[in-house]
Every structure is written in structure tokens, then in C-alpha cells.
Amino acid sequence: MTKRTRRMHNPAFKAKVALAAIKGEKTLAELAQQFDVHPNQITAWKAHLVGGAAEVFGAPAVGAVAPVVDVKTLHAKIGELTLENDFLSGALGKAGQLSAKR
């Protein structure tokens, strides 16, 4: 028996096979033979599709919470950068150039 090289299936193919398994018109063995994949792989794809179906209809995923933004830190950073720009603009003016803006 020869070893088969590892194959990578695209998401569209996985969805097609999983949907065929959910329909239940054919057995897993028939689907495995038709699509040339192992029945355990079809079962895993089917479970993944069923588990992720709620996300399709807008239910937020558990880990998809928006990060909290610290406004005070952002305002402090803006002030720091503004001060730095004003300082450098003044330094360029004193060095003989008219302005830092081009």
C-alpha cells in the first residue's frame, strides 16, 4: 500500500461535502467514495459546519468582542505628538528653513 501525500482542501469543497452529508441523501461511505475523502473527515467537516452555523446568522462569536479603547491614553498620545510637531516646526524655522510643511 502506498502512502498518500497530504492534501489541502479549499473551504468551498469542505462546505460542499458537509452540506451533502447534512442532506442525508447518501451514506457517509458513498460520500467518501464520491468525494475521495475519509468518512471521519466528512463527519468532522459536518460537525464544524453545524457548530459554526449560528455565526452565519449574526450571533457574535465568543472571542469576537471588540477591544476596549482607552480614550485618555489616546488623547495623551495626541497631545504628545502635537507638542513634538510644534517643537520641531519651531526648530526648523530657527535653522533657516521657512517651515516644515511642504
Side-chain angles (χ1 to χ4, degrees):
M1 184 177 214
T2 61
K3 250 187 155 176
R4 184 183 266 186
T5 59
R6 186 179 196 106
R7 295 182 295 168
M8 302 297 287
H9 300 289
N10 62 10
F13 177 76
K14 293 177 184 180
K16 179 180 170 182
V17 174
L19 284 174
I22 289 174
K23 286 181 185 176
E25 295 173 354
K26 294 183 178 180
T27 65
L28 281 178
E30 291 172 338
L31 290 173
Q33 185 176 16
Q34 177 184 349
F35 292 109
D36 193 30
V37 292
H38 197 275
N40 290 343
Q41 188 66 62
I42 295 174
T43 304
W45 290 343
K46 179 181 170 183
H48 190 75
L49 179 65
V50 171
E55 294 174 11
V56 173
F57 294 105
V62 176
V65 178
V68 178
V69 177
D70 187 17
V71 177
K72 288 184 180 181
T73 306
L74 292 176
H75 282 295
K77 187 65 175 176
I78 290 171
E80 179 184 330
L81 292 174
T82 303
L83 184 65
E84 187 177 311
N85 283 342
D86 290 343
F87 173 78
L88 292 174
S89 177
L92 283 175
K94 290 179 182 177
Q97 296 186 8
L98 296 176
S99 75
K101 298 177 184 174
R102 291 184 186 195

